[in-house]
């Protein structure tokens, strides 16, 4: 599943991300309320894990505004506040569940699983991504361009999946590095460009319409 974490405590955000990635989720992170709202309002996530106390827009206001634009993504709120009235405020703002800090990771994972399971009961969960005639079957780990099957390495597959999950959105090299490689690659700053080249050879070469595009000075995207 595609999960957004909005948490200004960077060590906690990194820990949450690592734990969720180990559970095979795709995870994005924002460290302030304004960027967290922009991402949550994009309606591209299966779950948002949201701290209440944030720089900029706070978590309660984020949930209210996300619900105002008809985004129904489940929200798990995190806070150091344990008073009943604070929990009620969070739930009334549109959150689906509430977890008080400090918490055990096993409890967080249980709540994440419950919210994702509840969402899947109400939605047909797609195991495929598609951009134009490019399709990715996440269950079978297969990629096709039209009827042509494309063989990718594990890292190429992860890169293409990230691009396709964000189709039409420009992703910077640092975003791609952080999401796909998940560690500091300053010494290998051209790794993203190298793997984009590999993907273009396999996904675009020989086909009429190139799908992997460079946005000069910013990064890369798939689709329009």
């Amino acid at each position: 599943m595609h999960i957004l974490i909005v948490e200004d405590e960077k060590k906690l955000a990194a820990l949450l991300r690592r734990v969720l990635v180990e559970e095979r989720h795709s995870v994005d992170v924002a460290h302030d309320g304004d960027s967290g709202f922009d991402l949550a309002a994009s309606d591209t996530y299966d779950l948002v894990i949201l701290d209440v106390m944030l720089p900029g827009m706070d978590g309660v206001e984020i949930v209210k505004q996300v619900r105002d634009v008809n985004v129904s993504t489940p929200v798990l709120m995190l806070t150091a506040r344990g008073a009943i009235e604070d929990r009620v405020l969070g739930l009334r703002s549109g959150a689906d569940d509430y977890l008080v800090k400090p918490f055990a990771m096993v409890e967080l994972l249980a709540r994440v699983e419950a919210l994702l399971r509840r969402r899947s009961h109400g939605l047909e969960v797609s195991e495929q991504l598609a951009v134009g005639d490019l399709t990715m079957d996440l269950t079978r780990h297969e990629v096709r361009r039209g009827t042509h099957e494309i063989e990718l390495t594990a890292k190429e597959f992860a890169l293409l999946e990230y691009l396709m999950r964000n189709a039409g959105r420009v992703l910077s090299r640092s975003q791609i590095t952080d999401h796909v490689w998940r560690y500091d690659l300053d010494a290998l700053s051209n790794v993203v460009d190298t793997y984009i080249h590999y993907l273009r050879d396999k996904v675009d070469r020989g086909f009429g319409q190139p799908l992997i595009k460079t946005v000069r000075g910013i990064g890369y995207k798939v689709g329009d």
Side-chain angles (χ1 to χ4, degrees):
M1 294 293 185
H2 197 192
I3 297 175
L4 171 65
I5 297 170
V6 187
E7 168 60 68
D8 64 323
E9 294 181 42
K10 293 187 178 181
K11 288 185 178 179
L12 176 57
L15 175 60
L16 292 173
R17 185 182 186 281
R18 186 174 74 248
V19 168
L20 291 167
V21 167
E22 287 173 355
E23 294 294 314
R24 303 191 67 182
H25 297 297
S26 173
V27 183
D28 293 334
V29 177
H31 296 299
D32 64 85
D34 295 334
S35 58
F37 169 75
D38 289 341
L39 290 170
S42 68
D43 200 16
T44 59
Y45 296 93
D46 298 295
L47 175 69
V48 176
I49 299 175
L50 175 64
D51 190 23
V52 171
M53 301 299 293
L54 293 164
M57 191 183 300
D58 68 32
V60 171
E61 188 60 28
I62 290 173
V63 178
K64 287 180 179 177
Q65 292 200 26
V66 164
R67 298 303 185 228
D68 284 345
V69 294
N70 297 316
V71 173
S72 60
T73 307
V75 174
L76 173 61
M77 296 193 81
L78 306 178
T79 184
R81 298 173 176 175
I84 291 176
E85 56 267 27
D86 290 323
R87 301 182 211 180
V88 171
L89 177 62
L91 295 171
R92 283 182 173 170
S93 70
D96 297 89
D97 201 357
Y98 205 93
L99 194 55
V100 178
K101 300 176 182 177
F103 50 82
M105 282 297 165
V106 65
E107 181 180 5
L108 177 124
L109 288 175
R111 301 213 183 192
V112 166
E113 290 170 8
L115 288 170
L116 292 174
R117 189 164 56 245
R118 189 187 311 169
R119 179 171 173 81
S120 68
H121 287 164
L123 295 173
E124 182 180 349
V125 180
S126 174
E127 296 296 331
Q128 288 202 345
L129 302 174
V131 179
D133 62 348
L134 177 66
T135 58
M136 173 177 282
D137 189 316
L138 298 171
T139 302
R140 297 182 178 181
H141 211 76
E142 291 178 353
V143 175
R144 292 181 179 275
R145 183 82 191 259
T147 60
H148 177 71
E149 185 171 352
I150 299 170
E151 293 187 7
L152 299 178
T153 67
K155 196 61 70 178
E156 290 166 352
F157 189 95
L159 173 56
L160 184 59
E161 178 185 352
Y162 186 46
L163 291 169
M164 291 181 72
R165 283 189 182 277
N166 292 276
R169 176 184 167 197
V170 182
L171 300 171
S172 69
R173 290 174 178 80
S174 61
Q175 284 177 305
I176 294 171
T177 299
D178 181 60
H179 186 92
V180 177
W181 278 268
R182 301 196 298 276
Y183 53 84
D184 188 1
L185 283 172
D186 286 343
L188 298 171
S189 59
N190 66 336
V191 69
V192 174
D193 300 332
T194 299
Y195 272 82
I196 288 289
H197 175 74
Y198 294 159
L199 281 183
R200 280 183 166 142
D201 268 352
K202 296 181 178 183
V203 171
D204 282 342
R205 181 167 292 183
F207 296 93
Q209 179 67 32
L211 293 175
I212 301 172
K213 300 177 181 178
T214 301
V215 180
R216 192 174 299 277
I218 303 177
Y220 299 99
K221 68 176 182 175
V222 164
D224 296 328

